[in-house]
PDB file of all heavy atoms in Angstrom:
ATOM      1  N   PHE T   1      -7.273  -9.368   3.970  1.00 94.00           N
ATOM      2  CA  PHE T   1      -6.138 -10.148   4.479  1.00 94.00           C
ATOM      3  C   PHE T   1      -6.529 -10.946   5.716  1.00 94.00           C
ATOM      4  O   PHE T   1      -6.133 -12.096   5.893  1.00 94.00           O
ATOM      5  CB  PHE T   1      -4.969  -9.213   4.790  1.00 94.00           C
ATOM      6  CG  PHE T   1      -3.835  -9.877   5.519  1.00 94.00           C
ATOM      7  CD1 PHE T   1      -2.921 -10.671   4.844  1.00 94.00           C
ATOM      8  CD2 PHE T   1      -3.686  -9.711   6.891  1.00 94.00           C
ATOM      9  CE1 PHE T   1      -1.886 -11.283   5.516  1.00 94.00           C
ATOM     10  CE2 PHE T   1      -2.641 -10.316   7.574  1.00 94.00           C
ATOM     11  CZ  PHE T   1      -1.737 -11.102   6.880  1.00 94.00           C
ATOM     12  N   TYR T   2      -7.311 -10.334   6.586  1.00 93.00           N
ATOM     13  CA  TYR T   2      -7.700 -10.995   7.828  1.00 93.00           C
ATOM     14  C   TYR T   2      -8.821 -12.009   7.631  1.00 93.00           C
ATOM     15  O   TYR T   2      -8.954 -12.946   8.432  1.00 93.00           O
ATOM     16  CB  TYR T   2      -8.159  -9.951   8.847  1.00 93.00           C
ATOM     17  CG  TYR T   2      -7.033  -9.245   9.556  1.00 93.00           C
ATOM     18  CD1 TYR T   2      -6.454  -8.105   9.015  1.00 93.00           C
ATOM     19  CD2 TYR T   2      -6.546  -9.703  10.777  1.00 93.00           C
ATOM     20  CE1 TYR T   2      -5.424  -7.438   9.670  1.00 93.00           C
ATOM     21  CE2 TYR T   2      -5.518  -9.051  11.438  1.00 93.00           C
ATOM     22  CZ  TYR T   2      -4.955  -7.924  10.875  1.00 93.00           C
ATOM     23  OH  TYR T   2      -3.932  -7.273  11.530  1.00 93.00           O
ATOM     24  N   THR T   3      -9.632 -11.851   6.624  1.00 91.00           N
ATOM     25  CA  THR T   3     -10.824 -12.683   6.480  1.00 91.00           C
ATOM     26  C   THR T   3     -10.710 -13.761   5.416  1.00 91.00           C
ATOM     27  O   THR T   3     -11.606 -14.599   5.295  1.00 91.00           O
ATOM     28  CB  THR T   3     -12.043 -11.795   6.148  1.00 91.00           C
ATOM     29  OG1 THR T   3     -11.780 -11.032   4.963  1.00 91.00           O
ATOM     30  CG2 THR T   3     -12.337 -10.839   7.294  1.00 91.00           C
ATOM     31  N   THR T   4      -9.644 -13.765   4.631  1.00 90.00           N
ATOM     32  CA  THR T   4      -9.491 -14.723   3.539  1.00 90.00           C
ATOM     33  C   THR T   4      -8.637 -15.909   3.979  1.00 90.00           C
ATOM     34  O   THR T   4      -7.631 -15.737   4.660  1.00 90.00           O
ATOM     35  CB  THR T   4      -8.828 -14.049   2.307  1.00 90.00           C
ATOM     36  OG1 THR T   4      -9.628 -12.939   1.907  1.00 90.00           O
ATOM     37  CG2 THR T   4      -8.711 -15.032   1.158  1.00 90.00           C
ATOM     38  N   ARG T   5      -9.038 -17.111   3.553  1.00 86.00           N
ATOM     39  CA  ARG T   5      -8.288 -18.322   3.884  1.00 86.00           C
ATOM     40  C   ARG T   5      -7.644 -18.964   2.662  1.00 86.00           C
ATOM     41  O   ARG T   5      -6.669 -19.696   2.784  1.00 86.00           O
ATOM     42  CB  ARG T   5      -9.209 -19.351   4.550  1.00 86.00           C
ATOM     43  CG  ARG T   5      -9.808 -18.884   5.867  1.00 86.00           C
ATOM     44  CD  ARG T   5     -10.379 -20.036   6.643  1.00 86.00           C
ATOM     45  NE  ARG T   5     -11.029 -19.614   7.876  1.00 86.00           N
ATOM     46  CZ  ARG T   5     -11.312 -20.435   8.885  1.00 86.00           C
ATOM     47  NH1 ARG T   5     -10.997 -21.709   8.787  1.00 86.00           N
ATOM     48  NH2 ARG T   5     -11.901 -19.981   9.979  1.00 86.00           N
ATOM     49  N   ASP T   6      -8.170 -18.707   1.494  1.00 86.00           N
ATOM     50  CA  ASP T   6      -7.653 -19.330   0.285  1.00 86.00           C
ATOM     51  C   ASP T   6      -6.247 -18.794  -0.026  1.00 86.00           C
ATOM     52  O   ASP T   6      -6.031 -17.583  -0.070  1.00 86.00           O
ATOM     53  CB  ASP T   6      -8.590 -19.048  -0.898  1.00 86.00           C
ATOM     54  CG  ASP T   6      -8.138 -19.744  -2.158  1.00 86.00           C
ATOM     55  OD1 ASP T   6      -8.262 -20.974  -2.239  1.00 86.00           O
ATOM     56  OD2 ASP T   6      -7.637 -19.041  -3.066  1.00 86.00           O
ATOM     57  N   ASP T   7      -5.296 -19.719  -0.242  1.00 85.00           N
ATOM     58  CA  ASP T   7      -3.905 -19.319  -0.463  1.00 85.00           C
ATOM     59  C   ASP T   7      -3.732 -18.499  -1.733  1.00 85.00           C
ATOM     60  O   ASP T   7      -2.972 -17.525  -1.762  1.00 85.00           O
ATOM     61  CB  ASP T   7      -3.003 -20.563  -0.525  1.00 85.00           C
ATOM     62  CG  ASP T   7      -2.885 -21.241   0.830  1.00 85.00           C
ATOM     63  OD1 ASP T   7      -3.045 -20.545   1.854  1.00 85.00           O
ATOM     64  OD2 ASP T   7      -2.622 -22.454   0.869  1.00 85.00           O
ATOM     65  N   ALA T   8      -4.431 -18.880  -2.804  1.00 91.00           N
ATOM     66  CA  ALA T   8      -4.304 -18.147  -4.068  1.00 91.00           C
ATOM     67  C   ALA T   8      -4.810 -16.711  -3.920  1.00 91.00           C
ATOM     68  O   ALA T   8      -4.172 -15.760  -4.385  1.00 91.00           O
ATOM     69  CB  ALA T   8      -5.072 -18.871  -5.176  1.00 91.00           C
ATOM     70  N   LYS T   9      -5.939 -16.560  -3.243  1.00 93.00           N
ATOM     71  CA  LYS T   9      -6.482 -15.216  -3.032  1.00 93.00           C
ATOM     72  C   LYS T   9      -5.588 -14.396  -2.107  1.00 93.00           C
ATOM     73  O   LYS T   9      -5.447 -13.179  -2.276  1.00 93.00           O
ATOM     74  CB  LYS T   9      -7.894 -15.309  -2.462  1.00 93.00           C
ATOM     75  CG  LYS T   9      -8.922 -15.851  -3.447  1.00 93.00           C
ATOM     76  CD  LYS T   9     -10.318 -15.853  -2.852  1.00 93.00           C
ATOM     77  CE  LYS T   9     -11.333 -16.368  -3.853  1.00 93.00           C
ATOM     78  NZ  LYS T   9     -12.714 -16.413  -3.279  1.00 93.00           N
ATOM     79  N   LEU T  10      -4.974 -15.062  -1.140  1.00 90.00           N
ATOM     80  CA  LEU T  10      -4.065 -14.355  -0.245  1.00 90.00           C
ATOM     81  C   LEU T  10      -2.847 -13.823  -0.998  1.00 90.00           C
ATOM     82  O   LEU T  10      -2.352 -12.727  -0.695  1.00 90.00           O
ATOM     83  CB  LEU T  10      -3.616 -15.280   0.890  1.00 90.00           C
ATOM     84  CG  LEU T  10      -4.637 -15.520   2.002  1.00 90.00           C
ATOM     85  CD1 LEU T  10      -4.169 -16.618   2.928  1.00 90.00           C
ATOM     86  CD2 LEU T  10      -4.876 -14.229   2.789  1.00 90.00           C
ATOM     87  N   ARG T  11      -2.373 -14.594  -1.957  1.00 92.00           N
ATOM     88  CA  ARG T  11      -1.251 -14.108  -2.780  1.00 92.00           C
ATOM     89  C   ARG T  11      -1.676 -12.894  -3.606  1.00 92.00           C
ATOM     90  O   ARG T  11      -0.905 -11.945  -3.776  1.00 92.00           O
ATOM     91  CB  ARG T  11      -0.728 -15.232  -3.677  1.00 92.00           C
ATOM     92  CG  ARG T  11       0.077 -16.291  -2.927  1.00 92.00           C
ATOM     93  CD  ARG T  11       0.785 -17.222  -3.878  1.00 92.00           C
ATOM     94  NE  ARG T  11      -0.141 -18.069  -4.625  1.00 92.00           N
ATOM     95  CZ  ARG T  11      -0.543 -19.258  -4.226  1.00 92.00           C
ATOM     96  NH1 ARG T  11      -0.121 -19.751  -3.058  1.00 92.00           N
ATOM     97  NH2 ARG T  11      -1.368 -19.987  -4.950  1.00 92.00           N
ATOM     98  N   GLU T  12      -2.908 -12.940  -4.126  1.00 94.00           N
ATOM     99  CA  GLU T  12      -3.419 -11.785  -4.869  1.00 94.00           C
ATOM    100  C   GLU T  12      -3.543 -10.557  -3.959  1.00 94.00           C
ATOM    101  O   GLU T  12      -3.217  -9.438  -4.364  1.00 94.00           O
ATOM    102  CB  GLU T  12      -4.781 -12.127  -5.484  1.00 94.00           C
ATOM    103  CG  GLU T  12      -4.732 -13.210  -6.560  1.00 94.00           C
ATOM    104  CD  GLU T  12      -6.114 -13.575  -7.065  1.00 94.00           C
ATOM    105  OE1 GLU T  12      -7.091 -12.933  -6.600  1.00 94.00           O
ATOM    106  OE2 GLU T  12      -6.236 -14.470  -7.908  1.00 94.00           O
ATOM    107  N   ILE T  13      -4.005 -10.782  -2.741  1.00 94.00           N
ATOM    108  CA  ILE T  13      -4.140  -9.684  -1.787  1.00 94.00           C
ATOM    109  C   ILE T  13      -2.769  -9.104  -1.445  1.00 94.00           C
ATOM    110  O   ILE T  13      -2.605  -7.878  -1.341  1.00 94.00           O
ATOM    111  CB  ILE T  13      -4.860 -10.165  -0.515  1.00 94.00           C
ATOM    112  CG1 ILE T  13      -6.325 -10.516  -0.835  1.00 94.00           C
ATOM    113  CG2 ILE T  13      -4.786  -9.126   0.593  1.00 94.00           C
ATOM    114  CD1 ILE T  13      -7.032 -11.252   0.288  1.00 94.00           C
ATOM    115  N   ALA T  14      -1.781  -9.970  -1.277  1.00 93.00           N
ATOM    116  CA  ALA T  14      -0.424  -9.502  -0.968  1.00 93.00           C
ATOM    117  C   ALA T  14       0.130  -8.649  -2.100  1.00 93.00           C
ATOM    118  O   ALA T  14       0.760  -7.608  -1.864  1.00 93.00           O
ATOM    119  CB  ALA T  14       0.488 -10.691  -0.703  1.00 93.00           C
ATOM    120  N   THR T  15      -0.121  -9.069  -3.345  1.00 95.00           N
ATOM    121  CA  THR T  15       0.342  -8.302  -4.499  1.00 95.00           C
ATOM    122  C   THR T  15      -0.354  -6.946  -4.568  1.00 95.00           C
ATOM    123  O   THR T  15       0.286  -5.898  -4.773  1.00 95.00           O
ATOM    124  CB  THR T  15       0.091  -9.083  -5.794  1.00 95.00           C
ATOM    125  OG1 THR T  15       0.776 -10.347  -5.731  1.00 95.00           O
ATOM    126  CG2 THR T  15       0.607  -8.316  -7.002  1.00 95.00           C
ATOM    127  N   ALA T  16      -1.676  -6.958  -4.383  1.00 95.00           N
ATOM    128  CA  ALA T  16      -2.438  -5.705  -4.424  1.00 95.00           C
ATOM    129  C   ALA T  16      -2.018  -4.772  -3.295  1.00 95.00           C
ATOM    130  O   ALA T  16      -1.896  -3.552  -3.489  1.00 95.00           O
ATOM    131  CB  ALA T  16      -3.933  -6.005  -4.333  1.00 95.00           C
ATOM    132  N   THR T  17      -1.776  -5.326  -2.126  1.00 94.00           N
ATOM    133  CA  THR T  17      -1.342  -4.516  -0.980  1.00 94.00           C
ATOM    134  C   THR T  17       0.003  -3.863  -1.260  1.00 94.00           C
ATOM    135  O   THR T  17       0.214  -2.679  -0.971  1.00 94.00           O
ATOM    136  CB  THR T  17      -1.256  -5.377   0.288  1.00 94.00           C
ATOM    137  OG1 THR T  17      -2.541  -5.933   0.571  1.00 94.00           O
ATOM    138  CG2 THR T  17      -0.797  -4.559   1.478  1.00 94.00           C
ATOM    139  N   SER T  18       0.931  -4.636  -1.810  1.00 94.00           N
ATOM    140  CA  SER T  18       2.257  -4.098  -2.126  1.00 94.00           C
ATOM    141  C   SER T  18       2.170  -2.964  -3.147  1.00 94.00           C
ATOM    142  O   SER T  18       2.841  -1.928  -3.007  1.00 94.00           O
ATOM    143  CB  SER T  18       3.159  -5.210  -2.654  1.00 94.00           C
ATOM    144  OG  SER T  18       4.436  -4.730  -2.980  1.00 94.00           O
ATOM    145  N   MET T  19       1.334  -3.138  -4.160  1.00 95.00           N
ATOM    146  CA  MET T  19       1.168  -2.086  -5.171  1.00 95.00           C
ATOM    147  C   MET T  19       0.552  -0.828  -4.570  1.00 95.00           C
ATOM    148  O   MET T  19       0.974   0.295  -4.859  1.00 95.00           O
ATOM    149  CB  MET T  19       0.303  -2.613  -6.318  1.00 95.00           C
ATOM    150  CG  MET T  19       0.947  -3.718  -7.143  1.00 95.00           C
ATOM    151  SD  MET T  19      -0.163  -4.402  -8.404  1.00 95.00           S
ATOM    152  CE  MET T  19      -0.489  -2.943  -9.393  1.00 95.00           C
ATOM    153  N   LEU T  20      -0.445  -1.005  -3.710  1.00 95.00           N
ATOM    154  CA  LEU T  20      -1.080   0.143  -3.063  1.00 95.00           C
ATOM    155  C   LEU T  20      -0.105   0.880  -2.151  1.00 95.00           C
ATOM    156  O   LEU T  20      -0.126   2.116  -2.069  1.00 95.00           O
ATOM    157  CB  LEU T  20      -2.307  -0.305  -2.271  1.00 95.00           C
ATOM    158  CG  LEU T  20      -3.564  -0.595  -3.086  1.00 95.00           C
ATOM    159  CD1 LEU T  20      -4.614  -1.273  -2.210  1.00 95.00           C
ATOM    160  CD2 LEU T  20      -4.134   0.701  -3.671  1.00 95.00           C
ATOM    161  N   GLN T  21       0.745   0.136  -1.466  1.00 95.00           N
ATOM    162  CA  GLN T  21       1.734   0.766  -0.600  1.00 95.00           C
ATOM    163  C   GLN T  21       2.689   1.641  -1.411  1.00 95.00           C
ATOM    164  O   GLN T  21       3.040   2.749  -0.984  1.00 95.00           O
ATOM    165  CB  GLN T  21       2.504  -0.294   0.180  1.00 95.00           C
ATOM    166  CG  GLN T  21       1.694  -0.937   1.290  1.00 95.00           C
ATOM    167  CD  GLN T  21       2.468  -2.031   1.999  1.00 95.00           C
ATOM    168  OE1 GLN T  21       3.405  -2.610   1.446  1.00 95.00           O
ATOM    169  NE2 GLN T  21       2.089  -2.319   3.232  1.00 95.00           N
ATOM    170  N   THR T  22       3.091   1.130  -2.570  1.00 95.00           N
ATOM    171  CA  THR T  22       3.973   1.915  -3.444  1.00 95.00           C
ATOM    172  C   THR T  22       3.272   3.191  -3.902  1.00 95.00           C
ATOM    173  O   THR T  22       3.869   4.286  -3.900  1.00 95.00           O
ATOM    174  CB  THR T  22       4.393   1.078  -4.655  1.00 95.00           C
ATOM    175  OG1 THR T  22       5.063  -0.114  -4.205  1.00 95.00           O
ATOM    176  CG2 THR T  22       5.336   1.865  -5.564  1.00 95.00           C
ATOM    177  N   GLU T  23       2.019   3.055  -4.287  1.00 94.00           N
ATOM    178  CA  GLU T  23       1.261   4.221  -4.747  1.00 94.00           C
ATOM    179  C   GLU T  23       1.009   5.208  -3.602  1.00 94.00           C
ATOM    180  O   GLU T  23       1.060   6.434  -3.807  1.00 94.00           O
ATOM    181  CB  GLU T  23      -0.062   3.773  -5.357  1.00 94.00           C
ATOM    182  CG  GLU T  23       0.085   2.970  -6.646  1.00 94.00           C
ATOM    183  CD  GLU T  23      -1.273   2.562  -7.219  1.00 94.00           C
ATOM    184  OE1 GLU T  23      -2.230   3.317  -7.033  1.00 94.00           O
ATOM    185  OE2 GLU T  23      -1.352   1.481  -7.825  1.00 94.00           O
ATOM    186  N   LEU T  24       0.743   4.697  -2.412  1.00 94.00           N
ATOM    187  CA  LEU T  24       0.495   5.573  -1.269  1.00 94.00           C
ATOM    188  C   LEU T  24       1.730   6.399  -0.921  1.00 94.00           C
ATOM    189  O   LEU T  24       1.642   7.608  -0.674  1.00 94.00           O
ATOM    190  CB  LEU T  24       0.068   4.735  -0.058  1.00 94.00           C
ATOM    191  CG  LEU T  24      -1.386   4.257  -0.031  1.00 94.00           C
ATOM    192  CD1 LEU T  24      -1.576   3.188   1.034  1.00 94.00           C
ATOM    193  CD2 LEU T  24      -2.329   5.436   0.226  1.00 94.00           C
ATOM    194  N   TRP T  25       2.868   5.755  -0.924  1.00 94.00           N
ATOM    195  CA  TRP T  25       4.090   6.499  -0.600  1.00 94.00           C
ATOM    196  C   TRP T  25       4.410   7.520  -1.691  1.00 94.00           C
ATOM    197  O   TRP T  25       4.815   8.645  -1.373  1.00 94.00           O
ATOM    198  CB  TRP T  25       5.259   5.547  -0.402  1.00 94.00           C
ATOM    199  CG  TRP T  25       6.501   6.265   0.022  1.00 94.00           C
ATOM    200  CD1 TRP T  25       7.609   6.514  -0.719  1.00 94.00           C
ATOM    201  CD2 TRP T  25       6.713   6.886   1.288  1.00 94.00           C
ATOM    202  NE1 TRP T  25       8.524   7.238   0.009  1.00 94.00           N
ATOM    203  CE2 TRP T  25       8.000   7.477   1.247  1.00 94.00           C
ATOM    204  CE3 TRP T  25       5.948   7.004   2.453  1.00 94.00           C
ATOM    205  CZ2 TRP T  25       8.529   8.176   2.326  1.00 94.00           C
ATOM    206  CZ3 TRP T  25       6.481   7.689   3.531  1.00 94.00           C
ATOM    207  CH2 TRP T  25       7.750   8.271   3.465  1.00 94.00           C
ATOM    208  N   ALA T  26       4.210   7.133  -2.926  1.00 93.00           N
ATOM    209  CA  ALA T  26       4.454   8.081  -4.019  1.00 93.00           C
ATOM    210  C   ALA T  26       3.501   9.268  -3.933  1.00 93.00           C
ATOM    211  O   ALA T  26       3.879  10.407  -4.261  1.00 93.00           O
ATOM    212  CB  ALA T  26       4.304   7.374  -5.365  1.00 93.00           C
ATOM    213  N   ALA T  27       2.273   9.019  -3.455  1.00 93.00           N
ATOM    214  CA  ALA T  27       1.276  10.090  -3.375  1.00 93.00           C
ATOM    215  C   ALA T  27       1.638  11.139  -2.333  1.00 93.00           C
ATOM    216  O   ALA T  27       1.269  12.309  -2.463  1.00 93.00           O
ATOM    217  CB  ALA T  27      -0.095   9.499  -3.063  1.00 93.00           C
ATOM    218  N   VAL T  28       2.358  10.738  -1.272  1.00 93.00           N
ATOM    219  CA  VAL T  28       2.764  11.729  -0.265  1.00 93.00           C
ATOM    220  C   VAL T  28       4.196  12.216  -0.492  1.00 93.00           C
ATOM    221  O   VAL T  28       4.563  13.305  -0.024  1.00 93.00           O
ATOM    222  CB  VAL T  28       2.639  11.150   1.164  1.00 93.00           C
ATOM    223  CG1 VAL T  28       1.203  10.790   1.460  1.00 93.00           C
ATOM    224  CG2 VAL T  28       3.545   9.951   1.368  1.00 93.00           C
ATOM    225  N   GLU T  29       4.988  11.405  -1.200  1.00 91.00           N
ATOM    226  CA  GLU T  29       6.377  11.795  -1.447  1.00 91.00           C
ATOM    227  C   GLU T  29       6.461  13.011  -2.367  1.00 91.00           C
ATOM    228  O   GLU T  29       7.259  13.933  -2.130  1.00 91.00           O
ATOM    229  CB  GLU T  29       7.144  10.621  -2.060  1.00 91.00           C
ATOM    230  CG  GLU T  29       8.628  10.907  -2.294  1.00 91.00           C
ATOM    231  CD  GLU T  29       9.331   9.738  -2.949  1.00 91.00           C
ATOM    232  OE1 GLU T  29       8.663   9.012  -3.730  1.00 91.00           O
ATOM    233  OE2 GLU T  29      10.529   9.550  -2.694  1.00 91.00           O
ATOM    234  N   GLY T  30       5.617  13.015  -3.419  1.00 89.00           N
ATOM    235  CA  GLY T  30       5.639  14.123  -4.369  1.00 89.00           C
ATOM    236  C   GLY T  30       5.361  15.465  -3.712  1.00 89.00           C
ATOM    237  O   GLY T  30       6.179  16.399  -3.814  1.00 89.00           O
ATOM    238  N   PRO T  31       4.240  15.611  -3.009  1.00 88.00           N
ATOM    239  CA  PRO T  31       3.961  16.890  -2.344  1.00 88.00           C
ATOM    240  C   PRO T  31       5.008  17.260  -1.290  1.00 88.00           C
ATOM    241  O   PRO T  31       5.328  18.439  -1.117  1.00 88.00           O
ATOM    242  CB  PRO T  31       2.597  16.651  -1.695  1.00 88.00           C
ATOM    243  CG  PRO T  31       1.968  15.575  -2.492  1.00 88.00           C
ATOM    244  CD  PRO T  31       3.088  14.691  -2.927  1.00 88.00           C
ATOM    245  N   ALA T  32       5.533  16.265  -0.585  1.00 86.00           N
ATOM    246  CA  ALA T  32       6.527  16.553   0.451  1.00 86.00           C
ATOM    247  C   ALA T  32       7.816  17.097  -0.151  1.00 86.00           C
ATOM    248  O   ALA T  32       8.457  17.978   0.433  1.00 86.00           O
ATOM    249  CB  ALA T  32       6.804  15.304   1.266  1.00 86.00           C
ATOM    250  N   LEU T  33       8.207  16.556  -1.307  1.00 87.00           N
ATOM    251  CA  LEU T  33       9.418  17.054  -1.967  1.00 87.00           C
ATOM    252  C   LEU T  33       9.173  18.391  -2.648  1.00 87.00           C
ATOM    253  O   LEU T  33      10.065  19.248  -2.675  1.00 87.00           O
ATOM    254  CB  LEU T  33       9.904  16.023  -2.992  1.00 87.00           C
ATOM    255  CG  LEU T  33      10.431  14.695  -2.419  1.00 87.00           C
ATOM    256  CD1 LEU T  33      10.790  13.739  -3.548  1.00 87.00           C
ATOM    257  CD2 LEU T  33      11.636  14.923  -1.513  1.00 87.00           C
ATOM    258  N   ALA T  34       7.976  18.562  -3.178  1.00 86.00           N
ATOM    259  CA  ALA T  34       7.671  19.821  -3.866  1.00 86.00           C
ATOM    260  C   ALA T  34       7.562  20.980  -2.879  1.00 86.00           C
ATOM    261  O   ALA T  34       8.044  22.087  -3.141  1.00 86.00           O
ATOM    262  CB  ALA T  34       6.379  19.682  -4.665  1.00 86.00           C
ATOM    263  N   GLN T  35       6.933  20.725  -1.721  1.00 83.00           N
ATOM    264  CA  GLN T  35       6.781  21.757  -0.689  1.00 83.00           C
ATOM    265  C   GLN T  35       7.142  21.159   0.676  1.00 83.00           C
ATOM    266  O   GLN T  35       6.268  20.698   1.415  1.00 83.00           O
ATOM    267  CB  GLN T  35       5.353  22.289  -0.669  1.00 83.00           C
ATOM    268  CG  GLN T  35       4.930  22.992  -1.944  1.00 83.00           C
ATOM    269  CD  GLN T  35       3.499  23.492  -1.873  1.00 83.00           C
ATOM    270  OE1 GLN T  35       2.758  23.164  -0.957  1.00 83.00           O
ATOM    271  NE2 GLN T  35       3.108  24.296  -2.844  1.00 83.00           N
ATOM    272  N   PRO T  36       8.435  21.108   0.997  1.00 86.00           N
ATOM    273  CA  PRO T  36       8.875  20.500   2.262  1.00 86.00           C
ATOM    274  C   PRO T  36       8.555  21.351   3.484  1.00 86.00           C
ATOM    275  O   PRO T  36       9.373  22.094   3.994  1.00 86.00           O
ATOM    276  CB  PRO T  36      10.380  20.364   2.060  1.00 86.00           C
ATOM    277  CG  PRO T  36      10.745  21.421   1.079  1.00 86.00           C
ATOM    278  CD  PRO T  36       9.560  21.579   0.179  1.00 86.00           C
ATOM    279  N   THR T  37       7.315  21.232   3.932  1.00 87.00           N
ATOM    280  CA  THR T  37       6.837  21.984   5.096  1.00 87.00           C
ATOM    281  C   THR T  37       6.604  21.027   6.265  1.00 87.00           C
ATOM    282  O   THR T  37       6.523  19.791   6.072  1.00 87.00           O
ATOM    283  CB  THR T  37       5.524  22.699   4.758  1.00 87.00           C
ATOM    284  OG1 THR T  37       4.523  21.717   4.478  1.00 87.00           O
ATOM    285  CG2 THR T  37       5.706  23.621   3.552  1.00 87.00           C
ATOM    286  N   PRO T  38       6.470  21.546   7.480  1.00 89.00           N
ATOM    287  CA  PRO T  38       6.155  20.684   8.620  1.00 89.00           C
ATOM    288  C   PRO T  38       4.867  19.896   8.425  1.00 89.00           C
ATOM    289  O   PRO T  38       4.753  18.749   8.881  1.00 89.00           O
ATOM    290  CB  PRO T  38       6.033  21.672   9.789  1.00 89.00           C
ATOM    291  CG  PRO T  38       6.911  22.804   9.400  1.00 89.00           C
ATOM    292  CD  PRO T  38       6.764  22.933   7.912  1.00 89.00           C
ATOM    293  N   LEU T  39       3.894  20.466   7.733  1.00 87.00           N
ATOM    294  CA  LEU T  39       2.630  19.761   7.507  1.00 87.00           C
ATOM    295  C   LEU T  39       2.812  18.575   6.569  1.00 87.00           C
ATOM    296  O   LEU T  39       2.270  17.490   6.807  1.00 87.00           O
ATOM    297  CB  LEU T  39       1.592  20.740   6.938  1.00 87.00           C
ATOM    298  CG  LEU T  39       1.095  21.827   7.887  1.00 87.00           C
ATOM    299  CD1 LEU T  39       0.092  22.726   7.187  1.00 87.00           C
ATOM    300  CD2 LEU T  39       0.488  21.214   9.143  1.00 87.00           C
ATOM    301  N   SER T  40       3.581  18.783   5.496  1.00 87.00           N
ATOM    302  CA  SER T  40       3.825  17.671   4.568  1.00 87.00           C
ATOM    303  C   SER T  40       4.663  16.592   5.235  1.00 87.00           C
ATOM    304  O   SER T  40       4.491  15.395   4.968  1.00 87.00           O
ATOM    305  CB  SER T  40       4.510  18.177   3.298  1.00 87.00           C
ATOM    306  OG  SER T  40       5.782  18.733   3.599  1.00 87.00           O
TER     307      SER T  40
END
């Protein structure tokens, strides 16, 4: 994101970033709901 200047590639990066954010939250949401501990 910081090193790319091409607009088309930046749009691709934005899409990939958004998808990764969704996956990252889902990856911690599942364990937190399954075992709601202070560590989770």
